Amino acid sequence: MAHDTAAGELPQLVLVVGVAGSGKSTVGRFLADRLGWTYRDADEFHSEAHRARMAAGHALPDSDRGPWLEAIGEWMDGAIASRRHAVVTCSALKRDYRDRLLAGRPDVLLVYLRGSPDVLRARLAARHGHFFPADLLGTQLADLQEPEPDEHPLVVEIDQPPEAVVTDVLALMRREAGARRPRAGSVTERAVRPPPRRPPR
């Protein structure tokens, strides 16, 4: 399978965040597939007790989210140590959650899937078989702290099919990679270019 972008031009990990119903899992899987990367969903790191609590309509307190975020971070560290490119999805609603996942991991790119409450409610209403009930969307929106500019997020609107969202994400990733690559004749290139040799007298 041909992949969209050379891995050498991209960050090692992509962290896709957003509230329930934003399509994190679908977009994350599609993105990983198109890049040929490993994919993990943060829901896989929840304990059965946490899943049961949320299925019963109870939001997790921060004290319960700490070990969950730590487990995700440990998995990310393992991927980085093994030089494995990966996409991981996580709600990461609060700035503190994202800081815990990004701190000390400079080669992780943050992608935020943004959608209106109406779009999110419609998507959750159409979703079946997931442990997270639509009734908890209100608590997620209340907790949501959208990524700030200093987090350098790639922000993509979700009012389009998942394939189009992934195409937008890849376009932004390519643009970001291009911005990091020094241009011909740039200050960076000139700084490492050896001076011309003078002809012998």
Side-chain angles (χ1 to χ4, degrees), residues 80-156:
I80 293 170
S82 62
R83 300 180 181 274
R84 185 170 68 251
H85 285 82
V87 177
V88 59
T89 56
C90 179
S91 54
L93 301 175
K94 297 182 180 182
R95 173 66 185 258
D96 178 61
Y97 302 166
R98 296 189 297 273
D99 285 347
R100 294 180 65 169
L101 294 175
L102 297 173
R105 302 178 180 105
D107 202 25
V108 179
L109 177 67
L110 180 65
V111 174
Y112 171 47
L113 303 183
R114 182 170 62 190
S116 69
D118 289 342
V119 170
L120 294 166
R121 289 190 188 96
R123 288 191 172 192
L124 285 174
R127 188 168 70 175
H128 303 288
H130 195 278
F131 68 87
F132 189 91
D135 292 344
L136 281 183
L137 176 61
T139 65
Q140 289 222 329
L141 292 175
D143 286 342
L144 176 64
Q145 298 170 352
E146 291 192 315
E148 298 288 338
D150 66 311
E151 297 177 74
H152 308 290
L154 302 185
V155 182
V156 179

Side-chain angles (χ1 to χ4, degrees), residues 11-58:
Q12 190 168 348
L13 268 73
V14 175
L15 174 64
V16 181
V17 305
V19 301
S22 61
K24 295 186 301 296
S25 298
T26 302
V27 169
R29 280 194 298 267
F30 285 1
L31 180 62
D33 183 61
R34 287 178 63 172
L35 289 169
W37 291 7
T38 300
Y39 169 73
R40 287 296 298 269
D41 191 315
D43 286 345
E44 300 171 19
F45 296 89
H46 277 305
S47 67
E48 289 301 322
H50 288 173
R51 288 170 175 264
R53 181 182 177 89
M54 287 185 283
H58 304 292

